[in-house]
Amino acid sequence: MSRTVVITGASSGIGQACAKYFCDKKDKVFITGRRASLLNEIAKEIGATPVAFDATDTGMVVAALNELPETVDVLINNAGGNTDLSPNTATSINGYDDLPSQLFETEKSWRTNFETNLLTAVLITEGFSDRFAKNARIVTIGSIAGRTGGGGSYGAAKAALEAWTADIARKFGPRGITANVIAPGLIEDTEFFKGKLSDDRRKNLIEATFTKRAGKPSDVVAAIAFLASPDAGHITGQVLPVNGGAHLAR
């Protein structure tokens, strides 16, 4: 039976691979992201419906709901990324130019990572609260950084996703709706590192795994497919690591 699937952050990497998987399954797939032209190109290629907007902006989320489906069977909260890897444009505010800039930079790092990784998932999920079908599936992409304590504000935002997911799993559970987190480790063929992953860092991350390889988007998609399936109806509020053993969930 065809399902209606919404995937945020679907213009590249894991989100794009996930969208292709569900389109190949003949599901009705809606993909979202900020880069409209790229989103439209991908949607045309795989047969999805694109809805471009910035999920950190509440007004844009509210407006986008008019273009998104009235009933949702599967929601994949994939939008996010470590914004500390992007150029830092923090500046002083309120005229306090004579104060050290470090606190302003710290504030921007924490606000931006929490908005990008946590607020996006919260706003989209709450926006669909009354649209989730019975036995719907919510899968949110976390990170190994949420468990290992790495990544500063990024890791903290991903850890917060886990606590929030437990809360909505409890909230939606009586409707047969599940909510889980997938926490990847190193996944290549994505835009995550924005060209800033050194050879030494990559080597160390791979060496930390049991499988001695980097992950691929398809590894994460396989886990998403299971948690989004009808067979996973009694798994909720959980965190599933996809990291080759680099960090154990125990």
Side-chain angles (χ1 to χ4, degrees), residues 24-36:
D24 287 347
K25 293 293 182 181
K26 308 304 180 185
D27 290 320
K28 186 175 183 180
V29 179
F30 290 75
I31 58 174
T32 81
R34 292 177 294 179
R35 295 176 288 182

Side-chain angles (χ1 to χ4, degrees), residues 116-170:
T116 301
N117 292 285
L118 177 62
L119 185 62
T120 53
V122 172
L123 291 178
I124 295 295
T125 304
E126 289 301 316
F128 284 146
S129 182
D130 294 331
R131 301 189 187 190
F132 286 122
K134 184 179 180 181
N135 301 320
R137 303 285 183 257
I138 303 167
V139 183
T140 300
I141 305 302
S143 171
I144 190 174
R147 290 294 179 96
T148 61
S153 56
Y154 170 72
K158 291 300 192 181
L161 272 178
E162 296 184 10
W164 167 75
T165 296
D167 188 50
I168 62 168
R170 183 179 296 108

Side-chain angles (χ1 to χ4, degrees), residues 14-55:
I14 293 169
Q16 183 178 344
C18 190
K20 185 178 186 306
Y21 170 85
F22 284 104
C23 283
D24 287 347
K25 293 293 182 181
K26 308 304 180 185
D27 290 320
K28 186 175 183 180
V29 179
F30 290 75
I31 58 174
T32 81
R34 292 177 294 179
R35 295 176 288 182
S37 60
L38 180 57
L39 203 67
N40 291 338
E41 180 182 330
I42 293 166
K44 183 177 180 180
E45 179 183 336
I46 66 176
T49 300
V51 183
F53 63 97
D54 183 348

Side-chain angles (χ1 to χ4, degrees), residues 8-9 32-34 52-62 64 77-81 83 108 110-125:
T8 69
T32 81
R34 292 177 294 179
F53 63 97
D54 183 348
T56 68
D57 185 313
T58 306
M60 292 186 73
V61 173
V62 171
N77 287 312
N78 175 70
T83 58
K108 182 174 180 61
W110 283 77
R111 285 187 184 278
T112 306
N113 259 321
F114 267 75
E115 289 173 357
T116 301
N117 292 285
L118 177 62
L119 185 62
T120 53
V122 172
L123 291 178
I124 295 295
T125 304

